[in-house]
Amino acid sequence: MILHCVWIRFKATLRPEEREAIYAALAALRDVIPGMISVSCGPNVSPEGLQGGFLDGFVVTFENADAHDRYLVHPDHVAVGKRIVTAAEGGVSGLLVFDLAT
């Protein structure tokens, strides 16, 4: 399995409705991209204070690396990714992506 972890620094001006719409669009990808097992999205709730400015994020679990690779180029994912980059502080510099093989 692959855990695709993405941490986001959303712009301070981003409306809560848009944040929720982005999360809903991510969750909807599970219905159109084969091999996506689960999607979890939301704000950081850790009391440790070690988030480095990343206050939101999501984790997608894939069956295998092939499913992850199909996701990366799928047009629906590309569209949601563009929305996320637009909503992130500094564009792609407002994102941290980490893929973990389990």
Side-chain angles (χ1 to χ4, degrees):
M1 288 196 306
I2 301 289
L3 295 179
H4 177 64
C5 309
V6 179
W7 314 133
I8 309 166
R9 283 191 294 253
F10 281 124
K11 293 176 181 173
T13 57
L14 187 72
R15 295 183 331 238
E17 312 83 64
E18 177 60 15
R19 182 176 312 194
E20 292 306 314
I22 289 170
Y23 289 155
L26 285 164
L29 293 175
R30 187 169 175 247
D31 295 331
V32 296
I33 302 176
M36 288 181 69
I37 297 171
S38 65
V39 180
S40 298
C41 309
N44 176 45
V45 296
S46 173
E48 295 177 287
L50 300 174
Q51 69 275 6
F54 294 95
L55 301 179
D56 290 87
F58 63 93
V59 176
V60 180
T61 304
F62 293 97
E63 289 176 351
N64 52 43
D66 288 338
H68 173 264
D69 292 347
R70 285 190 303 271
Y71 159 87
L72 291 177
V73 297
H74 193 283
D76 291 353
H77 165 256
V78 171
V80 174
K82 286 179 182 177
R83 263 175 100 176
I84 293 168
V85 169
T86 299
E89 187 67 46
V92 293
S93 66
L95 303 173
L96 175 65
V97 179
F98 190 92
D99 292 331
L100 179 67
T102 63

